[in-house]
């Protein structure tokens, strides 16, 4: 084999390596510029499936856990921001997850409640198949609880129907289901 063949082979090999590295660097730049979902959302889906998927130019604002949310192991729901926080004071950070949700047509009164009933799957008041139903209050004939539609939809509630279902995306519904057995505290804040 002559020296020209060896030089040509080395040159082609070097070009291939440089091209591969340039390709990888270009992909890394694209990944670095993209918005990364935090462990606290997984917003619509994640996370919240109730909000739009964030774009690279916009960072979603995650509301801070309200100071008036109490203490201890609890689910916190804000009727003002339509946000949920799962709080475990034994963890660091204490907020295990947080995400936006879509409320029903009626909101629960701020206060402290306990999960009293759970249903793996059923039909919601809107006729959709829902899962991970975690109920925590009843007021004026309206049942309040968290759930996720099996089809992943989080539509705005029909204002003509009195519904207290607080919908999340399916991944967030699973988080609430796993976090909130019967008896766990649910704190509703303004």
């Amino acid at each position: 084999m002559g020296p020209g063949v060896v030089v040509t082979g080395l040159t082609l090999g070097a070009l291939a390596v440089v091209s591969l590295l340039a390709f990888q660097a270009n992909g890394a730049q694209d990944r670095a510029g993209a918005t990364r979902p935090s462990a606290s959302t997984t917003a619509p889906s994640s996370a919240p499936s109730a909000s739009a998927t964030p774009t690279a130019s916009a960072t979603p604002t995650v509301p801070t856990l309200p100071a008036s949310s109490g203490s201890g192991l609890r689910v916190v729901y804000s009727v003002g921001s339509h946000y949920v926080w799962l709080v475990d004071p034994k963890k660091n950070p204490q907020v295990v997850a947080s995400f936006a949700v879509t409320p029903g047509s009626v909101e629960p009164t701020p206060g402290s409640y306990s999960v009293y009933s759970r249903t793996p799957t059923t039909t919601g008041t809107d006729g959709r198949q829902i899962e991970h139903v975690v109920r925590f209050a009843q007021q004026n004939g309206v049942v309040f609880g968290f759930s996720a539609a099996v089809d992943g939809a989080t539509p705005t509630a029909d204002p003509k129907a009195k519904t207290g279902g607080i919908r999340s995306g399916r991944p967030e519904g699973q988080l609430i289901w796993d976090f909130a057995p019967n008896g766990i505290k649910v704190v509703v804040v303004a």
Side-chain angles (χ1 to χ4, degrees):
M1 191 175 352
V5 173
V6 172
V7 170
T8 302
L10 289 174
T11 302
L12 289 175
L15 286 173
V17 169
V18 169
S19 296
L20 176 64
L21 292 174
F23 176 76
Q24 288 177 337
N26 185 36
Q29 181 182 7
D30 292 344
R31 288 187 301 275
T35 302
R36 291 181 182 95
S38 69
S40 67
T41 72
T42 348
S45 240
S46 231
S49 305
S51 71
T53 302
T55 63
S57 63
T59 302
T61 303
V62 176
T64 305
L65 177 68
S68 61
S69 71
S71 62
L73 186 68
R74 65 200 183 279
V75 175
V76 178
Y77 171 58
S78 168
V79 297
S81 67
H82 301 126
Y83 222 78
V84 170
W85 296 264
L86 306 180
V87 184
D88 184 345
K90 294 180 182 175
K91 304 274 180 155
N92 187 13
Q94 292 185 11
V95 176
V96 176
S98 61
F99 43 88
V101 292
T102 302
S105 61
V106 180
E107 294 277 20
T109 303
S112 184
Y113 305 92
S114 293
V115 172
Y116 69 86
S117 172
R118 293 165 32 106
T119 303
T121 60
T122 190
T123 302
T125 54
D126 60 359
R128 290 184 185 276
Q129 282 299 115
I130 58 174
E131 63 185 1
H132 303 126
V133 182
V134 177
R135 296 175 197 85
F136 62 88
Q138 293 183 39
Q139 298 168 352
N140 301 320
V142 178
V143 175
F144 295 97
F146 304 104
S147 65
V150 172
D151 66 6
T154 55
T156 303
D158 179 356
K160 297 178 213 157
K162 291 177 75 173
T163 62
I166 301 164
R167 291 275 171 85
S168 68
R170 292 186 78 189
E172 295 80 14
Q174 182 71 55
L175 287 172
I176 294 174
W177 179 260
D178 293 342
F179 187 85
N182 282 337
I184 195 169
K185 183 171 27 175
V186 176
V187 178
V188 177
V189 296

